[in-house]
Amino acid sequence: MINIALQGAEFFAYHGFYPEEQKIGCRFLVDVNVGFVPPGDLLEDNLSKTVDYERVYIIVCEEMKHPRKLIETVGQSIIDRIKKKYPFAESIEVTIKKLTPPLSGKVAHSAVIINYKKS
């Protein structure tokens, strides 16, 4: 199995349950790990035989642009799109961190981690 990863992709987005969060926005960090068995010989040196992390980044960018109340929803949408683009993906983990969430005390970030494993 091979894994590709994006770590610490940073976005300013408007996700949040409270209307103020959807108006003022917040910074987010996104990590994505995709485990897969190549659908062919990697020695062919062909991008179609692997998961293209540039395409994964584009998927994340597009999903982060759509405001949602729950970052869980954003994470699941990212996973669903990666599964569709790369049906040979065996596992996908998406972590979304909301930096300085609006809480009553100082918190570096809140986070959701969503995992997918092909059955």
Side-chain angles (χ1 to χ4, degrees):
M1 174 127 53
I2 296 174
N3 287 287
I4 66 103
L6 294 175
Q7 298 292 313
E10 189 169 340
F11 302 92
F12 190 87
Y14 298 90
H15 308 301
F17 181 76
Y18 299 104
E20 312 83 64
E21 293 178 288
Q22 295 178 10
K23 288 180 185 174
I24 62 173
C26 186
R27 288 179 37 237
F28 294 85
L29 294 178
V30 180
D31 301 332
V32 180
N33 292 288
V34 181
F36 64 98
V37 175
D41 187 357
L42 283 178
L43 294 178
E44 292 177 20
D45 204 24
N46 187 327
L47 193 57
S48 69
K49 306 295 183 194
T50 189
V51 173
D52 179 356
Y53 56 80
E54 181 179 19
R55 184 65 203 146
V56 170
Y57 179 78
I58 290 168
I59 288 170
V60 174
C61 287
E62 291 171 352
E63 291 302 321
M64 290 300 289
K65 287 179 184 176
H66 298 292
R68 297 189 178 94
K69 290 182 180 177
L70 301 176
I71 54 178
E72 292 90 331
T73 306
V74 181
Q76 187 61 54
S77 295
I78 291 168
I79 286 175
D80 290 345
R81 288 192 55 196
I82 293 171
K83 285 180 358 186
K84 185 175 181 183
K85 176 74 177 163
Y86 300 104
F88 54 90
E90 295 288 327
S91 64
I92 305 167
E93 180 178 271
V94 174
T95 302
I96 302 176
K97 298 174 185 174
K98 181 182 246 184
L99 303 180
T100 59
L103 299 172
S104 60
K106 185 177 178 179
V107 175
H109 68 268
S110 58
V112 298
I113 301 169
I114 301 176
N115 288 288
Y116 159 79
K117 270 213 191 293
K118 189 182 272 186
S119 47

